[in-house]
Amino acid sequence: MIATSRDIKTLLIICVLLMNPYLLSGGTEAEVDGTSKLQATIVETLISIDDPEFNAYSYETGNGTVARVYDRGGVKYFESLINESTAPHPPDDYTFRYLTGIPVVDTSKHWNIYFKHRVLNRGDVTVENCKLDGWHAYIIAPDGNLWRLYKYSTQSPETLRPGEQLIATNTYQIHNIPNYRATFYFTFNSGDSSLDSWDTGREILRFIGSNYSLPHMSLLRLKPGKVELTPPTIIDYIFNITNVRDEPIKISVDYKFAETAIWILHLWPSGYMGKTGKHEVTLKPMSTWCTRMTETFPDDKSDHAVHIYYGVIITSGEDAPPLKGEIWEDLYGVNSYLGLKDAYARLIKSGRFEVEVAFTLVPYVSPSSQDVKPYEYNVTLTIYDSNYREVIHGPLRRTLNQQIRKGYELEVYWRIPTGALNNREGKYMAQIDTWRLPTGKGGPMHLARISLPFWLTLPDITVKPEDIKIQKVPEVGVENRLLIEFSNKGRMDAENFPIEVYVDGAPLHSKNITVPAGTSVVEEFAWTPQKNTQTIEVKVDPKSMMGEADKTNNFAERKFTVGQVMGESYVEVYSTASLIIAAILMLAVTVWLIKRTVHGRRRGSGDSGLEGVDKGI
């Protein structure tokens, strides 16, 4: 058996890899000197009826996976996975295209619909506070009223690392939902920032099986004036609901008069302040119930919006559908309002370790809002411990010294040396706030806040006296080799760490080393003893320029005496590379001998068999 040139090349490649454990480890997280943005995509969504395991569709029961939506180049494509019980698809557009018709689901026979989303982080920063929002699933009644599938749940991991995927799920009750058009709208969010979505509500299923007649709702503003909050300061509304069925129904009506800072209507407004309440009402057949809401809104809140909301749940009857009728109106502020989105925190390895906190300042846009003017706003950044019990760093303040025009955004990047966090590993919370500076009496007005967690992990290079060894017993004037082992006990790779070697206080060698997390490397240095006893000193990061979890273990020294052997100081030590190459060669020879022996035995047994055949002939 003769080794070919291809075999020799393969052995050489293996030798190179084994001599460089850094290559075997797959490298480390890429150093980023620039800036990054959060990027994530809902790459696939599976849709299943009454089957949370998403098995193949059963034509006998109607259970199983009925359709999927997948992403190609930023366009969502819908595809039915069943060959029957489909209806014509609605018109598509440039962002959402239908490849087939849409499945038809009999809600009198089925109870739940399940969505399983696969989300990919396409950026190079970790996405925190992840949520797959499926709140906006609506039935559109013939009168235009929206009825939300309110018996709904969602599950999603909170963290998505670069290049990784997560699975998020949504579940809705659909039993007895009437034969109206249904639309679903999904967004993948990081906090309040939407990273990917279905753009608008999409009809992906056709419900049949129930002819339940839903009540009719209306919301009327008295003295409507303009959509601006000022003037008027008196806000007056009447809500009406009519039972169009032949039998009485019981309903629960909740209402909200709330301030909000959300102008974009497809994001559900959250009430920060205001008035909430509930009514329990019985409606006779073909009767109408109404209520009036009158509120005063102060002028100093004119940067906010007002959200007037009524929600209705039918609470009587076994055939009542799991829907909540919702009707609302938003009135807009006339002042600017500085909001936040797209926030992230990450560790930057550019020489020294730094924590980068990035976010986007957004003037929330309404029909009447204004540009953000210079020197009217402050932005603060505060680093807390994981439980918000202690301020670790900050608050840091920046005054916005430039204009942000309505409809535009401003990206902000803040870098904090890990030394400001005492180089202490663990979980931290970064809190970002925006403030409007006071124009008269009083303090600044708080506008928006985002909080996000981040984890600080650092390298920890250690060197001990017993890690300093020599290749052979020292002799004065005879060159020797220092073999010094450096271990990284941290959870982050140590890259380009400076080390220095001294003999009796005089510099001998200096270089930069790289040690992957959880490993060690042995560095060799030439040394020629000049006298009977000399002290070798080793320093890691002598100028304390690198971020590290523990700097108390960065120094070691050891004395060597000519002609004396102490413990393991003088062991005939060969370099790691030499040992690996020798082991590979021995292994190759052994494999070659085994193969040759087996091959010879096979030839011998083959010849005996042929002899037997010849004799039989």
Side-chain angles (χ1 to χ4, degrees), residues 135 137-139 145-151 214 217 252-255 268 278 309-314 321-327:
W135 180 276
Y138 286 102
I139 299 296
N145 287 161
L146 297 178
W147 290 79
R148 182 167 59 84
L149 283 69
Y150 80 101
K151 291 189 176 181
L214 296 169
M217 302 177 296
S252 177
V253 181
D254 63 280
Y255 60 89
W268 188 251
K278 181 180 289 188
Y309 167 89
Y310 283 88
V312 176
I313 296 176
I314 302 170
L323 298 172
K324 183 175 186 178
E326 295 181 328
I327 190 168

PDB file of all heavy atoms in Angstrom, residues 135 137-139 145-151 214 217 252-255 268 278 309-314 321-327:
ATOM      1  N   TRP A 135     -51.599  39.496  18.200  1.00  0.00           N
ATOM      2  CA  TRP A 135     -52.775  40.125  18.796  1.00  0.00           C
ATOM      3  C   TRP A 135     -53.829  40.462  17.748  1.00  0.00           C
ATOM      4  O   TRP A 135     -55.023  40.325  17.952  1.00  0.00           O
ATOM      5  CB  TRP A 135     -52.343  41.397  19.528  1.00  0.00           C
ATOM      6  CG  TRP A 135     -53.431  42.158  20.198  1.00  0.00           C
ATOM      7  CD1 TRP A 135     -54.269  43.073  19.634  1.00  0.00           C
ATOM      8  CD2 TRP A 135     -53.811  42.091  21.579  1.00  0.00           C
ATOM      9  NE1 TRP A 135     -55.142  43.580  20.563  1.00  0.00           N
ATOM     10  CE2 TRP A 135     -54.880  42.991  21.762  1.00  0.00           C
ATOM     11  CE3 TRP A 135     -53.354  41.361  22.659  1.00  0.00           C
ATOM     12  CZ2 TRP A 135     -55.485  43.181  23.002  1.00  0.00           C
ATOM     13  CZ3 TRP A 135     -53.955  41.550  23.893  1.00  0.00           C
ATOM     14  CH2 TRP A 135     -55.006  42.452  24.054  1.00  0.00           C
ATOM     15  N   ALA A 137     -55.694  39.519  15.208  1.00  0.00           N
ATOM     16  CA  ALA A 137     -56.427  38.520  14.436  1.00  0.00           C
ATOM     17  C   ALA A 137     -57.900  38.891  14.530  1.00  0.00           C
ATOM     18  O   ALA A 137     -58.492  38.831  15.617  1.00  0.00           O
ATOM     19  CB  ALA A 137     -56.169  37.124  14.981  1.00  0.00           C
ATOM     20  N   TYR A 138     -58.505  39.274  13.426  1.00  0.00           N
ATOM     21  CA  TYR A 138     -59.838  39.857  13.444  1.00  0.00           C
ATOM     22  C   TYR A 138     -60.779  39.164  12.476  1.00  0.00           C
ATOM     23  O   TYR A 138     -60.384  38.702  11.394  1.00  0.00           O
ATOM     24  CB  TYR A 138     -59.791  41.333  13.063  1.00  0.00           C
ATOM     25  CG  TYR A 138     -59.238  42.242  14.142  1.00  0.00           C
ATOM     26  CD1 TYR A 138     -57.937  42.711  14.076  1.00  0.00           C
ATOM     27  CD2 TYR A 138     -60.032  42.643  15.216  1.00  0.00           C
ATOM     28  CE1 TYR A 138     -57.434  43.553  15.058  1.00  0.00           C
ATOM     29  CE2 TYR A 138     -59.533  43.480  16.204  1.00  0.00           C
ATOM     30  CZ  TYR A 138     -58.234  43.930  16.121  1.00  0.00           C
ATOM     31  OH  TYR A 138     -57.733  44.754  17.094  1.00  0.00           O
ATOM     32  N   ILE A 139     -62.057  39.129  12.886  1.00  0.00           N
ATOM     33  CA  ILE A 139     -63.170  38.837  11.993  1.00  0.00           C
ATOM     34  C   ILE A 139     -63.755  40.186  11.567  1.00  0.00           C
ATOM     35  O   ILE A 139     -64.019  41.051  12.418  1.00  0.00           O
ATOM     36  CB  ILE A 139     -64.243  37.989  12.701  1.00  0.00           C
ATOM     37  CG1 ILE A 139     -63.659  36.650  13.147  1.00  0.00           C
ATOM     38  CG2 ILE A 139     -65.455  37.791  11.807  1.00  0.00           C
ATOM     39  CD1 ILE A 139     -63.206  35.786  12.003  1.00  0.00           C
ATOM     40  N   ASN A 145     -67.539  46.308  11.434  1.00  0.00           N
ATOM     41  CA  ASN A 145     -67.022  46.150  12.797  1.00  0.00           C
ATOM     42  C   ASN A 145     -65.943  45.071  12.849  1.00  0.00           C
ATOM     43  O   ASN A 145     -66.005  44.068  12.132  1.00  0.00           O
ATOM     44  CB  ASN A 145     -68.151  45.776  13.759  1.00  0.00           C
ATOM     45  CG  ASN A 145     -69.086  46.932  14.076  1.00  0.00           C
ATOM     46  OD1 ASN A 145     -70.202  46.734  14.534  1.00  0.00           O
ATOM     47  ND2 ASN A 145     -68.673  48.157  13.813  1.00  0.00           N
ATOM     48  N   LEU A 146     -64.959  45.281  13.732  1.00  0.00           N
ATOM     49  CA  LEU A 146     -63.867  44.335  13.927  1.00  0.00           C
ATOM     50  C   LEU A 146     -64.115  43.540  15.204  1.00  0.00           C
ATOM     51  O   LEU A 146     -64.383  44.105  16.271  1.00  0.00           O
ATOM     52  CB  LEU A 146     -62.529  45.062  14.029  1.00  0.00           C
ATOM     53  CG  LEU A 146     -62.081  45.851  12.802  1.00  0.00           C
ATOM     54  CD1 LEU A 146     -60.753  46.551  13.076  1.00  0.00           C
ATOM     55  CD2 LEU A 146     -61.961  44.955  11.589  1.00  0.00           C
ATOM     56  N   TRP A 147     -64.009  42.193  15.072  1.00  0.00           N
ATOM     57  CA  TRP A 147     -64.170  41.305  16.218  1.00  0.00           C
ATOM     58  C   TRP A 147     -62.899  40.476  16.331  1.00  0.00           C
ATOM     59  O   TRP A 147     -62.560  39.702  15.450  1.00  0.00           O
ATOM     60  CB  TRP A 147     -65.390  40.410  16.039  1.00  0.00           C
ATOM     61  CG  TRP A 147     -66.669  41.181  16.138  1.00  0.00           C
ATOM     62  CD1 TRP A 147     -67.235  41.961  15.166  1.00  0.00           C
ATOM     63  CD2 TRP A 147     -67.520  41.254  17.278  1.00  0.00           C
ATOM     64  NE1 TRP A 147     -68.395  42.533  15.624  1.00  0.00           N
ATOM     65  CE2 TRP A 147     -68.605  42.112  16.935  1.00  0.00           C
ATOM     66  CE3 TRP A 147     -67.500  40.694  18.542  1.00  0.00           C
ATOM     67  CZ2 TRP A 147     -69.630  42.406  17.812  1.00  0.00           C
ATOM     68  CZ3 TRP A 147     -68.532  40.981  19.429  1.00  0.00           C
ATOM     69  CH2 TRP A 147     -69.582  41.825  19.060  1.00  0.00           C
ATOM     70  N   ARG A 148     -62.181  40.677  17.435  1.00  0.00           N
ATOM     71  CA  ARG A 148     -60.872  40.061  17.610  1.00  0.00           C
ATOM     72  C   ARG A 148     -60.995  38.662  18.209  1.00  0.00           C
ATOM     73  O   ARG A 148     -61.818  38.414  19.082  1.00  0.00           O
ATOM     74  CB  ARG A 148     -59.991  40.943  18.505  1.00  0.00           C
ATOM     75  CG  ARG A 148     -58.578  40.430  18.713  1.00  0.00           C
ATOM     76  CD  ARG A 148     -57.690  41.504  19.346  1.00  0.00           C
ATOM     77  NE  ARG A 148     -58.196  41.948  20.621  1.00  0.00           N
ATOM     78  CZ  ARG A 148     -57.968  41.343  21.781  1.00  0.00           C
ATOM     79  NH1 ARG A 148     -57.220  40.244  21.804  1.00  0.00           N
ATOM     80  NH2 ARG A 148     -58.456  41.819  22.905  1.00  0.00           N
ATOM     81  N   LEU A 149     -60.153  37.733  17.727  1.00  0.00           N
ATOM     82  CA  LEU A 149     -60.055  36.396  18.322  1.00  0.00           C
ATOM     83  C   LEU A 149     -59.282  36.544  19.638  1.00  0.00           C
ATOM     84  O   LEU A 149     -58.069  36.383  19.704  1.00  0.00           O
ATOM     85  CB  LEU A 149     -59.335  35.428  17.375  1.00  0.00           C
ATOM     86  CG  LEU A 149     -60.128  34.887  16.179  1.00  0.00           C
ATOM     87  CD1 LEU A 149     -60.399  35.983  15.156  1.00  0.00           C
ATOM     88  CD2 LEU A 149     -59.382  33.736  15.511  1.00  0.00           C
ATOM     89  N   TYR A 150     -60.025  36.845  20.699  1.00  0.00           N
ATOM     90  CA  TYR A 150     -59.376  37.279  21.935  1.00  0.00           C
ATOM     91  C   TYR A 150     -58.923  36.118  22.813  1.00  0.00           C
ATOM     92  O   TYR A 150     -58.107  36.317  23.724  1.00  0.00           O
ATOM     93  CB  TYR A 150     -60.308  38.213  22.716  1.00  0.00           C
ATOM     94  CG  TYR A 150     -61.376  37.520  23.523  1.00  0.00           C
ATOM     95  CD1 TYR A 150     -61.244  37.346  24.900  1.00  0.00           C
ATOM     96  CD2 TYR A 150     -62.530  37.047  22.911  1.00  0.00           C
ATOM     97  CE1 TYR A 150     -62.228  36.722  25.638  1.00  0.00           C
ATOM     98  CE2 TYR A 150     -63.514  36.427  23.641  1.00  0.00           C
ATOM     99  CZ  TYR A 150     -63.365  36.267  25.004  1.00  0.00           C
ATOM    100  OH  TYR A 150     -64.336  35.639  25.739  1.00  0.00           O
ATOM    101  N   LYS A 151     -59.441  34.911  22.586  1.00  0.00           N
ATOM    102  CA  LYS A 151     -58.955  33.758  23.352  1.00  0.00           C
ATOM    103  C   LYS A 151     -57.705  33.240  22.645  1.00  0.00           C
ATOM    104  O   LYS A 151     -57.768  32.335  21.799  1.00  0.00           O
ATOM    105  CB  LYS A 151     -60.039  32.700  23.467  1.00  0.00           C
ATOM    106  CG  LYS A 151     -61.206  33.147  24.350  1.00  0.00           C
ATOM    107  CD  LYS A 151     -62.179  32.030  24.633  1.00  0.00           C
ATOM    108  CE  LYS A 151     -63.269  32.504  25.608  1.00  0.00           C
ATOM    109  NZ  LYS A 151     -64.234  31.428  25.933  1.00  0.00           N
ATOM    110  N   LEU A 214     -73.627  38.810  14.795  1.00  0.00           N
ATOM    111  CA  LEU A 214     -72.952  39.628  15.794  1.00  0.00           C
ATOM    112  C   LEU A 214     -73.656  40.971  15.953  1.00  0.00           C
ATOM    113  O   LEU A 214     -74.236  41.503  14.989  1.00  0.00           O
ATOM    114  CB  LEU A 214     -71.502  39.866  15.378  1.00  0.00           C
ATOM    115  CG  LEU A 214     -70.629  38.609  15.309  1.00  0.00           C
ATOM    116  CD1 LEU A 214     -69.306  38.927  14.635  1.00  0.00           C
ATOM    117  CD2 LEU A 214     -70.396  38.040  16.695  1.00  0.00           C
ATOM    118  N   MET A 217     -71.967  47.758  16.353  1.00  0.00           N
ATOM    119  CA  MET A 217     -71.397  48.786  17.234  1.00  0.00           C
ATOM    120  C   MET A 217     -71.146  50.063  16.450  1.00  0.00           C
ATOM    121  O   MET A 217     -70.859  50.029  15.245  1.00  0.00           O
ATOM    122  CB  MET A 217     -70.067  48.310  17.835  1.00  0.00           C
ATOM    123  CG  MET A 217     -70.125  47.030  18.628  1.00  0.00           C
ATOM    124  SD  MET A 217     -68.468  46.531  19.211  1.00  0.00           S
ATOM    125  CE  MET A 217     -67.631  46.228  17.657  1.00  0.00           C
ATOM    126  N   SER A 252     -70.559  42.009  27.996  1.00  0.00           N
ATOM    127  CA  SER A 252     -69.677  42.728  28.915  1.00  0.00           C
ATOM    128  C   SER A 252     -68.962  43.801  28.097  1.00  0.00           C
ATOM    129  O   SER A 252     -68.285  43.481  27.110  1.00  0.00           O
ATOM    130  CB  SER A 252     -68.685  41.772  29.558  1.00  0.00           C
ATOM    131  OG  SER A 252     -67.780  42.467  30.389  1.00  0.00           O
ATOM    132  N   VAL A 253     -69.119  45.058  28.494  1.00  0.00           N
ATOM    133  CA  VAL A 253     -68.555  46.184  27.753  1.00  0.00           C
ATOM    134  C   VAL A 253     -67.484  46.846  28.612  1.00  0.00           C
ATOM    135  O   VAL A 253     -67.782  47.326  29.718  1.00  0.00           O
ATOM    136  CB  VAL A 253     -69.638  47.220  27.384  1.00  0.00           C
ATOM    137  CG1 VAL A 253     -69.022  48.379  26.598  1.00  0.00           C
ATOM    138  CG2 VAL A 253     -70.760  46.566  26.592  1.00  0.00           C
ATOM    139  N   ASP A 254     -66.238  46.848  28.151  1.00  0.00           N
ATOM    140  CA  ASP A 254     -65.196  47.597  28.861  1.00  0.00           C
ATOM    141  C   ASP A 254     -64.790  48.792  28.016  1.00  0.00           C
ATOM    142  O   ASP A 254     -64.883  48.769  26.784  1.00  0.00           O
ATOM    143  CB  ASP A 254     -63.995  46.711  29.165  1.00  0.00           C
ATOM    144  CG  ASP A 254     -63.311  46.187  27.927  1.00  0.00           C
ATOM    145  OD1 ASP A 254     -63.813  45.204  27.335  1.00  0.00           O
ATOM    146  OD2 ASP A 254     -62.278  46.753  27.538  1.00  0.00           O
ATOM    147  N   TYR A 255     -64.372  49.851  28.697  1.00  0.00           N
ATOM    148  CA  TYR A 255     -64.032  51.085  27.994  1.00  0.00           C
ATOM    149  C   TYR A 255     -62.736  51.643  28.549  1.00  0.00           C
ATOM    150  O   TYR A 255     -62.307  51.331  29.657  1.00  0.00           O
ATOM    151  CB  TYR A 255     -65.158  52.118  28.107  1.00  0.00           C
ATOM    152  CG  TYR A 255     -65.492  52.515  29.531  1.00  0.00           C
ATOM    153  CD1 TYR A 255     -64.828  53.566  30.166  1.00  0.00           C
ATOM    154  CD2 TYR A 255     -66.490  51.838  30.240  1.00  0.00           C
ATOM    155  CE1 TYR A 255     -65.138  53.925  31.462  1.00  0.00           C
ATOM    156  CE2 TYR A 255     -66.799  52.190  31.541  1.00  0.00           C
ATOM    157  CZ  TYR A 255     -66.121  53.234  32.150  1.00  0.00           C
ATOM    158  OH  TYR A 255     -66.420  53.591  33.442  1.00  0.00           O
ATOM    159  N   TRP A 268     -50.776  48.144  18.967  1.00  0.00           N
ATOM    160  CA  TRP A 268     -51.890  48.333  19.902  1.00  0.00           C
ATOM    161  C   TRP A 268     -51.543  49.394  20.941  1.00  0.00           C
ATOM    162  O   TRP A 268     -50.580  49.258  21.673  1.00  0.00           O
ATOM    163  CB  TRP A 268     -52.206  47.012  20.592  1.00  0.00           C
ATOM    164  CG  TRP A 268     -53.455  47.104  21.403  1.00  0.00           C
ATOM    165  CD1 TRP A 268     -53.545  47.111  22.756  1.00  0.00           C
ATOM    166  CD2 TRP A 268     -54.773  47.222  20.908  1.00  0.00           C
ATOM    167  NE1 TRP A 268     -54.841  47.216  23.145  1.00  0.00           N
ATOM    168  CE2 TRP A 268     -55.625  47.292  22.029  1.00  0.00           C
ATOM    169  CE3 TRP A 268     -55.337  47.288  19.641  1.00  0.00           C
ATOM    170  CZ2 TRP A 268     -56.998  47.408  21.911  1.00  0.00           C
ATOM    171  CZ3 TRP A 268     -56.706  47.403  19.531  1.00  0.00           C
ATOM    172  CH2 TRP A 268     -57.524  47.461  20.647  1.00  0.00           C
ATOM    173  N   LYS A 278     -66.118  49.132  33.229  1.00  0.00           N
ATOM    174  CA  LYS A 278     -66.824  48.017  32.606  1.00  0.00           C
ATOM    175  C   LYS A 278     -68.307  48.111  32.916  1.00  0.00           C
ATOM    176  O   LYS A 278     -68.712  48.562  33.991  1.00  0.00           O
ATOM    177  CB  LYS A 278     -66.249  46.699  33.106  1.00  0.00           C
ATOM    178  CG  LYS A 278     -66.899  45.451  32.505  1.00  0.00           C
ATOM    179  CD  LYS A 278     -66.275  44.173  33.055  1.00  0.00           C
ATOM    180  CE  LYS A 278     -64.870  44.001  32.514  1.00  0.00           C
ATOM    181  NZ  LYS A 278     -64.313  42.667  32.879  1.00  0.00           N
ATOM    182  N   TYR A 309     -61.709  53.936  23.541  1.00  0.00           N
ATOM    183  CA  TYR A 309     -61.852  52.522  23.187  1.00  0.00           C
ATOM    184  C   TYR A 309     -63.050  51.899  23.888  1.00  0.00           C
ATOM    185  O   TYR A 309     -63.314  52.183  25.066  1.00  0.00           O
ATOM    186  CB  TYR A 309     -60.583  51.779  23.597  1.00  0.00           C
ATOM    187  CG  TYR A 309     -60.686  50.276  23.589  1.00  0.00           C
ATOM    188  CD1 TYR A 309     -60.400  49.548  22.437  1.00  0.00           C
ATOM    189  CD2 TYR A 309     -61.075  49.581  24.736  1.00  0.00           C
ATOM    190  CE1 TYR A 309     -60.487  48.163  22.425  1.00  0.00           C
ATOM    191  CE2 TYR A 309     -61.167  48.199  24.734  1.00  0.00           C
ATOM    192  CZ  TYR A 309     -60.874  47.494  23.576  1.00  0.00           C
ATOM    193  OH  TYR A 309     -60.971  46.132  23.577  1.00  0.00           O
ATOM    194  N   TYR A 310     -63.774  51.026  23.135  1.00  0.00           N
ATOM    195  CA  TYR A 310     -64.819  50.180  23.704  1.00  0.00           C
ATOM    196  C   TYR A 310     -64.620  48.761  23.197  1.00  0.00           C
ATOM    197  O   TYR A 310     -64.333  48.544  21.999  1.00  0.00           O
ATOM    198  CB  TYR A 310     -66.221  50.668  23.316  1.00  0.00           C
ATOM    199  CG  TYR A 310     -66.678  51.872  24.104  1.00  0.00           C
ATOM    200  CD1 TYR A 310     -66.371  53.155  23.679  1.00  0.00           C
ATOM    201  CD2 TYR A 310     -67.399  51.717  25.290  1.00  0.00           C
ATOM    202  CE1 TYR A 310     -66.780  54.266  24.407  1.00  0.00           C
ATOM    203  CE2 TYR A 310     -67.811  52.820  26.026  1.00  0.00           C
ATOM    204  CZ  TYR A 310     -67.491  54.090  25.578  1.00  0.00           C
ATOM    205  OH  TYR A 310     -67.889  55.186  26.302  1.00  0.00           O
ATOM    206  N   GLY A 311     -64.757  47.786  24.109  1.00  0.00           N
ATOM    207  CA  GLY A 311     -64.654  46.377  23.749  1.00  0.00           C
ATOM    208  C   GLY A 311     -65.863  45.615  24.255  1.00  0.00           C
ATOM    209  O   GLY A 311     -66.342  45.872  25.367  1.00  0.00           O
ATOM    210  N   VAL A 312     -66.358  44.659  23.451  1.00  0.00           N
ATOM    211  CA  VAL A 312     -67.589  43.938  23.770  1.00  0.00           C
ATOM    212  C   VAL A 312     -67.330  42.434  23.682  1.00  0.00           C
ATOM    213  O   VAL A 312     -66.819  41.940  22.662  1.00  0.00           O
ATOM    214  CB  VAL A 312     -68.727  44.327  22.808  1.00  0.00           C
ATOM    215  CG1 VAL A 312     -69.973  43.484  23.093  1.00  0.00           C
ATOM    216  CG2 VAL A 312     -69.045  45.804  22.919  1.00  0.00           C
ATOM    217  N   ILE A 313     -67.726  41.691  24.744  1.00  0.00           N
ATOM    218  CA  ILE A 313     -67.681  40.230  24.751  1.00  0.00           C
ATOM    219  C   ILE A 313     -69.096  39.721  25.014  1.00  0.00           C
ATOM    220  O   ILE A 313     -69.770  40.179  25.949  1.00  0.00           O
ATOM    221  CB  ILE A 313     -66.727  39.703  25.831  1.00  0.00           C
ATOM    222  CG1 ILE A 313     -65.287  40.130  25.530  1.00  0.00           C
ATOM    223  CG2 ILE A 313     -66.804  38.175  25.915  1.00  0.00           C
ATOM    224  CD1 ILE A 313     -64.298  39.717  26.600  1.00  0.00           C
ATOM    225  N   ILE A 314     -69.542  38.766  24.191  1.00  0.00           N
ATOM    226  CA  ILE A 314     -70.851  38.145  24.373  1.00  0.00           C
ATOM    227  C   ILE A 314     -70.696  37.043  25.407  1.00  0.00           C
ATOM    228  O   ILE A 314     -69.911  36.094  25.225  1.00  0.00           O
ATOM    229  CB  ILE A 314     -71.378  37.586  23.041  1.00  0.00           C
ATOM    230  CG1 ILE A 314     -71.468  38.698  22.000  1.00  0.00           C
ATOM    231  CG2 ILE A 314     -72.744  36.925  23.235  1.00  0.00           C
ATOM    232  CD1 ILE A 314     -71.748  38.202  20.601  1.00  0.00           C
ATOM    233  N   PRO A 321     -69.594  33.011  19.972  1.00  0.00           N
ATOM    234  CA  PRO A 321     -68.230  32.818  19.435  1.00  0.00           C
ATOM    235  C   PRO A 321     -67.182  33.455  20.338  1.00  0.00           C
ATOM    236  O   PRO A 321     -67.465  34.422  21.056  1.00  0.00           O
ATOM    237  CB  PRO A 321     -68.292  33.525  18.077  1.00  0.00           C
ATOM    238  CG  PRO A 321     -69.344  34.573  18.238  1.00  0.00           C
ATOM    239  CD  PRO A 321     -70.358  33.995  19.181  1.00  0.00           C
ATOM    240  N   PRO A 322     -65.944  32.923  20.318  1.00  0.00           N
ATOM    241  CA  PRO A 322     -64.857  33.481  21.149  1.00  0.00           C
ATOM    242  C   PRO A 322     -64.265  34.740  20.503  1.00  0.00           C
ATOM    243  O   PRO A 322     -63.116  34.772  20.086  1.00  0.00           O
ATOM    244  CB  PRO A 322     -63.846  32.337  21.203  1.00  0.00           C
ATOM    245  CG  PRO A 322     -64.034  31.616  19.908  1.00  0.00           C
ATOM    246  CD  PRO A 322     -65.501  31.715  19.585  1.00  0.00           C
ATOM    247  N   LEU A 323     -65.081  35.782  20.456  1.00  0.00           N
ATOM    248  CA  LEU A 323     -64.693  37.032  19.799  1.00  0.00           C
ATOM    249  C   LEU A 323     -64.925  38.205  20.737  1.00  0.00           C
ATOM    250  O   LEU A 323     -65.780  38.154  21.623  1.00  0.00           O
ATOM    251  CB  LEU A 323     -65.510  37.247  18.517  1.00  0.00           C
ATOM    252  CG  LEU A 323     -65.354  36.196  17.410  1.00  0.00           C
ATOM    253  CD1 LEU A 323     -66.369  36.440  16.301  1.00  0.00           C
ATOM    254  CD2 LEU A 323     -63.938  36.207  16.857  1.00  0.00           C
ATOM    255  N   LYS A 324     -64.141  39.258  20.515  1.00  0.00           N
ATOM    256  CA  LYS A 324     -64.318  40.507  21.252  1.00  0.00           C
ATOM    257  C   LYS A 324     -64.434  41.646  20.251  1.00  0.00           C
ATOM    258  O   LYS A 324     -63.492  41.939  19.500  1.00  0.00           O
ATOM    259  CB  LYS A 324     -63.143  40.759  22.197  1.00  0.00           C
ATOM    260  CG  LYS A 324     -63.322  42.023  23.043  1.00  0.00           C
ATOM    261  CD  LYS A 324     -62.196  42.184  24.060  1.00  0.00           C
ATOM    262  CE  LYS A 324     -62.473  43.368  24.976  1.00  0.00           C
ATOM    263  NZ  LYS A 324     -61.422  43.526  26.009  1.00  0.00           N
ATOM    264  N   GLY A 325     -65.614  42.261  20.213  1.00  0.00           N
ATOM    265  CA  GLY A 325     -65.792  43.408  19.325  1.00  0.00           C
ATOM    266  C   GLY A 325     -65.035  44.607  19.852  1.00  0.00           C
ATOM    267  O   GLY A 325     -65.097  44.929  21.050  1.00  0.00           O
ATOM    268  N   GLU A 326     -64.313  45.282  18.963  1.00  0.00           N
ATOM    269  CA  GLU A 326     -63.505  46.429  19.376  1.00  0.00           C
ATOM    270  C   GLU A 326     -63.730  47.597  18.422  1.00  0.00           C
ATOM    271  O   GLU A 326     -63.684  47.425  17.199  1.00  0.00           O
ATOM    272  CB  GLU A 326     -62.025  46.052  19.415  1.00  0.00           C
ATOM    273  CG  GLU A 326     -61.725  44.997  20.470  1.00  0.00           C
ATOM    274  CD  GLU A 326     -60.257  44.617  20.537  1.00  0.00           C
ATOM    275  OE1 GLU A 326     -59.578  44.652  19.497  1.00  0.00           O
ATOM    276  OE2 GLU A 326     -59.790  44.284  21.641  1.00  0.00           O
ATOM    277  N   ILE A 327     -63.920  48.749  19.015  1.00  0.00           N
ATOM    278  CA  ILE A 327     -64.092  49.964  18.234  1.00  0.00           C
ATOM    279  C   ILE A 327     -63.390  51.082  18.982  1.00  0.00           C
ATOM    280  O   ILE A 327     -63.459  51.161  20.216  1.00  0.00           O
ATOM    281  CB  ILE A 327     -65.592  50.268  18.002  1.00  0.00           C
ATOM    282  CG1 ILE A 327     -65.767  51.396  16.991  1.00  0.00           C
ATOM    283  CG2 ILE A 327     -66.326  50.549  19.307  1.00  0.00           C
ATOM    284  CD1 ILE A 327     -67.207  51.550  16.512  1.00  0.00           C
TER     285      ILE A 327
END
